[in-house]
Amino acid sequence: MKTIAIVGAFPPPVHGMAKNNLLISAEISSKAKVLKVNTSGNSLQRGIKYHLTRAIRCIQSVLLIALKRPSTVYMSMDGGLGILYNTLTISSARLFAEKIVIHHRSFAYLDKRSLLARFATIVAGKNCLHVFLCQCMRDRFFSLYNRKFRSIVVSNAKHTPPLEFKKRERIFEKLFIGHLSNLSFEKGLKEVIDTYEQLVEEGILNIKLILAGPVENEASEEFLNLAMLRNPKGIQYLGPVYDREKFSFYQSIDLFLFPTNYKNEAQPNVVFEALSHNVPVIATDRGCLRSDLSNTIAAAIFDRESFVSRTKQFIKEIISSPETLEARRSAAHVFISAEHEKSRHDHNELIMEILHETI
């Protein structure tokens, strides 16, 4: 049986890249021997301990690849200085593995050219397969790095099958807006709370904000706690949610807000998760979001600078015309159904590539 090395972050902590690596390794494990090589720094916060952990695990990945000589090394590319760790792993894979697959899940080196990313792709060689989350991502990569590589596009929508669409029969009395992420200013915590509080100040009282996910740092936690003190009945914080709790979260909200400015943001799983629950999305123009969602009324994409003002107007229109919310919910179901079906085919192609088999 072939050995496939999956190199990258694995939970904990839980974030998009770690979760996707876990899903890939679980799927491949029924078809090949999987060597999971965790290179996570074990924290969402950067510091000496984080980088020491990453450096040690990077060395371990280099040695494991040299010793086990896997058929394929599959890995995700980091967004910043972590590319240095990636390049060491890629060097070992180039020497001791038959095939390298690099899954690009960060826009940090696509917003502007990165010498580290360029060097890593040169080390990987022309036969490396590059996997992108959307066509926009692939186009930017080729434009910035002036090199043609073997590549495929595989959307994260494969992991979010659509739920059955049911028209809501409840009387529209209150609008529930939600936000789920590793709660931080980078992910849009301030914009979400500002949107809610300004609506209340303007007399929109039939609205409630539900927040979920771990709080990333002390500053974000303090900001959240103060907001809940000001709005004890209007803001609800659920903490980290998984499985049934996450299902209940999406089922309880009418709109999902995601005003991210995270530098690595590419194609956040939570956006597709919301759409799979037939929940319309309002997000910022980061990563693949505009190219993915610009052709459906299930989503609205705003610039970060105008997010609060435009989202307030959007919500006021929903409240004044509740029937438009049902139209957007229906559009969410249509959109995610099509995206999921297409990504299933693309994902199968990726699995065959990782297994080093012909389709």
Side-chain angles (χ1 to χ4, degrees), residues 26-55:
E27 184 168 355
I28 291 175
S29 63
S30 64
K31 306 175 180 69
K33 181 179 178 181
V34 173
L35 177 65
K36 289 200 298 185
V37 186
N38 189 0
T39 59
S40 167
N42 272 1
S43 174
L44 293 171
Q45 298 185 44
R46 306 297 190 259
I48 294 175
K49 184 178 180 181
Y50 169 88
H51 284 290
L52 181 60
T53 302
R54 285 219 61 185

Side-chain angles (χ1 to χ4, degrees), residues 79 106-114 117 136-137 140-141 144-145 260-266 285-288:
S106 169
F107 254 73
Y109 50 84
L110 297 177
D111 289 328
K112 59 182 180 179
R113 186 177 285 106
S114 163
C136 162
M137 194 178 200
R140 283 203 196 188
F141 188 86
L144 284 173
Y145 298 104
T260 179
N261 196 40
Y262 179 46
K263 68 178 182 178
N264 290 316
E265 203 75 76
D285 185 8
R286 284 294 299 156
C288 294

Side-chain angles (χ1 to χ4, degrees), residues 104-114 117-118 121 130-149 151-153 261-267 284-292 301 303:
H104 296 274
R105 297 186 178 277
S106 169
F107 254 73
Y109 50 84
L110 297 177
D111 289 328
K112 59 182 180 179
R113 186 177 285 106
S114 163
R118 180 173 177 81
T121 56
H130 293 261
V131 185
F132 300 96
L133 298 171
C134 61
Q135 186 61 45
C136 162
M137 194 178 200
R138 177 160 66 178
D139 292 344
R140 283 203 196 188
F141 188 86
F142 288 157
S143 174
L144 284 173
Y145 298 104
N146 300 315
R147 293 170 65 87
K148 290 291 183 182
F149 304 94
S151 65
I152 57 174
V153 174
N261 196 40
Y262 179 46
K263 68 178 182 178
N264 290 316
E265 203 75 76
Q267 194 180 62
T284 40
D285 185 8
R286 284 294 299 156
C288 294
L289 286 170
R290 184 175 292 280
S291 65
D292 282 342
I301 305 297
D303 293 333

Side-chain angles (χ1 to χ4, degrees), residues 2 12 18 23 53 124 129 145 152 167 188 198 229 254 266 283 317:
K2 292 180 180 178
L23 291 169
T53 302
L129 176 69
Y145 298 104
I152 57 174
K167 187 174 180 179
Q198 289 184 28
L229 282 174
D254 299 301
E317 291 172 2

Side-chain angles (χ1 to χ4, degrees), residues 22 56 121 135 150 178 223:
L22 193 63
I56 292 170
T121 56
Q135 186 61 45
R150 294 185 60 238
F223 182 81

Side-chain angles (χ1 to χ4, degrees), residues 18-286:
K19 187 164 61 175
N20 286 321
N21 283 337
L22 193 63
L23 291 169
I24 286 282
S25 63
E27 184 168 355
I28 291 175
S29 63
S30 64
K31 306 175 180 69
K33 181 179 178 181
V34 173
L35 177 65
K36 289 200 298 185
V37 186
N38 189 0
T39 59
S40 167
N42 272 1
S43 174
L44 293 171
Q45 298 185 44
R46 306 297 190 259
I48 294 175
K49 184 178 180 181
Y50 169 88
H51 284 290
L52 181 60
T53 302
R54 285 219 61 185
I56 292 170
R57 288 182 166 182
C58 174
I59 293 169
Q60 290 174 337
S61 75
V62 169
L63 295 176
L64 278 171
I65 291 169
L67 289 171
K68 300 295 184 179
R69 302 193 175 222
S71 172
T72 300
V73 171
Y74 167 90
M75 60 185 295
S76 298
M77 185 91 87
D78 283 283
L81 292 176
I83 296 175
L84 289 170
Y85 301 125
N86 299 152
T87 304
L88 289 173
T89 303
I90 291 169
S91 300
S92 183
R94 186 78 187 274
L95 290 171
F96 301 110
E98 296 176 28
K99 186 173 187 176
I100 303 172
V101 178
I102 296 178
H103 209 141
H104 296 274
R105 297 186 178 277
S106 169
F107 254 73
Y109 50 84
L110 297 177
D111 289 328
K112 59 182 180 179
R113 186 177 285 106
S114 163
L115 291 177
L116 292 177
R118 180 173 177 81
F119 181 64
T121 56
I122 292 172
V123 173
K126 65 180 181 180
N127 292 323
C128 171
L129 176 69
H130 293 261
V131 185
F132 300 96
L133 298 171
C134 61
Q135 186 61 45
C136 162
M137 194 178 200
R138 177 160 66 178
D139 292 344
R140 283 203 196 188
F141 188 86
F142 288 157
S143 174
L144 284 173
Y145 298 104
N146 300 315
R147 293 170 65 87
K148 290 291 183 182
F149 304 94
R150 294 185 60 238
S151 65
I152 57 174
V153 174
V154 184
S155 166
N156 283 335
K158 190 271 177 187
H159 305 302
T160 53
L163 274 66
E164 180 183 359
F165 177 75
K166 294 181 179 179
K167 187 174 180 179
R168 290 183 176 174
E169 300 298 335
R170 66 177 172 83
I171 299 173
F172 189 90
E173 295 180 346
K174 182 174 286 191
L175 187 76
F176 293 85
I177 58 176
H179 173 69
L180 166 62
S181 69
N182 291 315
L183 299 177
S184 67
F185 296 127
E186 278 189 313
K187 289 284 190 175
L189 177 63
K190 184 178 187 302
E191 284 77 10
V192 170
I193 290 176
D194 284 352
T195 299
Y196 168 79
E197 291 192 324
Q198 289 184 28
L199 283 167
V200 172
E201 288 173 4
E202 294 171 18
I204 308 297
L205 303 179
N206 56 336
I207 188 169
K208 183 170 182 175
L209 172 60
I210 304 177
L211 300 166
V215 182
E216 191 164 303
N217 51 52
E218 290 182 3
S220 300
E221 184 174 17
E222 182 180 2
F223 182 81
L224 173 59
N225 287 337
L226 288 173
M228 289 192 293
L229 282 174
R230 293 191 300 269
N231 306 276
K233 294 183 179 180
I235 298 179
Q236 181 182 5
Y237 174 51
L238 303 177
V241 292
Y242 306 101
D243 304 324
R244 294 299 306 177
E245 291 176 336
K246 181 187 282 190
F247 178 90
S248 296
F249 164 78
Y250 285 121
Q251 290 295 299
S252 70
I253 62 174
D254 299 301
L255 288 174
F256 183 76
L257 309 190
F258 198 69
T260 179
N261 196 40
Y262 179 46
K263 68 178 182 178
N264 290 316
E265 203 75 76
Q267 194 180 62
N269 289 323
V270 290
V271 168
F272 282 150
E273 287 173 0
L275 293 168
S276 74
H277 285 261
N278 308 314
V279 178
V281 171
I282 310 175
T284 40
D285 185 8
R286 284 294 299 156

